[in-house]
Amino acid sequence: MVLRTIRTVGMEYLSTELNNSRMLGFLQNPHFSEEEKQWAKDGYGILNQHIGSYINIDEDVTVETFDKIEPLPKSIGVLVDSSNGSTAEQFLLAAKQSKKVKLFGQTTAGVLDISNMYQTDSPSGTFTLYYSLTKSLRIPHMAIDGVGIQPDYYIDGELPLYQWTSYTQKILEGM
């Protein structure tokens, strides 16, 4: 039996009092499971021990194993362009690990390496600062920021956006 896996590279959190307080907010979130709340509580404790440093509170790499490969669909095309960024790029990195998946279109935004947005208001309340809390363990060896994820099949600007789906379908049906 052939096992298929998806490998996801982790990230490090910048530990500051303000950044770490985000974890306490998770404890109050009614949509978080008890397991997720425990992760936030444990993470908060670890981060507070390392103020001023980048800290990995999870595994460096997680591996999800699938013991069954469904016969259908036989091939999957995902349309991408510069509007795809952040979490969408994380999805694409996972999807590309399947032999069935091909990316069609143009390079993604390239905004994944520094991620997990957070916000804080200025003391006057006039301004809100939005900033990222984490950096990927993929960098510098597989940086996405400023580069993006390249499609398997480039679609040039001469093909109108409304034709991308039919173009992709024709290629997939020929595989």
Side-chain angles (χ1 to χ4, degrees):
M1 171 171 48
V2 175
L3 297 179
R4 299 289 183 221
T5 60
I6 295 177
R7 299 175 63 85
T8 304
V9 177
M11 65 191 98
E12 294 177 313
Y13 293 77
L14 178 58
S15 177
T16 69
E17 289 181 26
L18 178 62
N19 292 355
N20 300 350
S21 69
R22 173 178 171 252
M23 295 297 201
L24 296 177
F26 292 154
L27 298 176
Q28 307 306 316
N29 189 326
H31 301 290
F32 270 49
S33 68
E34 288 306 313
E35 181 179 330
E36 290 167 321
K37 288 180 180 181
Q38 188 62 51
W39 169 84
K41 184 177 179 183
D42 294 345
Y44 179 76
I46 294 167
L47 289 167
N48 277 336
Q49 295 173 18
H50 302 279
I51 299 292
S53 299
Y54 277 97
I55 300 299
N56 182 359
I57 62 172
D58 296 310
E59 297 179 31
D60 288 357
V61 177
T62 57
V63 180
E64 187 173 2
T65 302
F66 302 88
D67 58 1
K68 182 178 180 186
I69 300 169
E70 298 294 336
L72 295 175
K74 290 183 179 183
S75 58
I76 300 166
V78 179
L79 302 178
V80 300
D81 66 12
S82 63
S83 297
N84 299 114
S86 193
T87 303
E89 289 174 312
Q90 186 64 50
F91 163 76
L92 295 172
L93 289 177
K96 283 177 61 83
Q97 294 179 56
S98 169
K99 291 180 181 180
K100 294 181 176 191
V101 176
K102 298 293 180 200
L103 305 185
F104 292 81
Q106 299 171 359
T107 306
T108 64
V111 292
L112 177 61
D113 298 335
I114 307 299
S115 58
N116 285 294
M117 293 295 294
Y118 195 51
Q119 69 187 56
T120 188
D121 292 329
S122 66
S124 68
T126 305
F127 302 101
T128 301
L129 172 66
Y130 295 88
Y131 65 101
S132 296
L133 299 172
T134 60
K135 68 176 181 175
S136 174
L137 295 172
R138 279 182 288 92
I139 54 178
H141 304 294
M142 188 182 169
I144 301 298
D145 285 10
V147 178
I149 298 171
Q150 302 294 314
D152 298 300
Y153 293 86
Y154 174 71
I155 300 177
D156 62 74
E158 294 296 313
L159 189 66
L161 190 59
Y162 71 89
Q163 292 180 1
W164 283 26
T165 304
S166 58
Y167 174 81
T168 299
Q169 183 176 357
K170 287 177 187 173
I171 291 174
L172 290 174
E173 287 173 351
M175 295 178 124

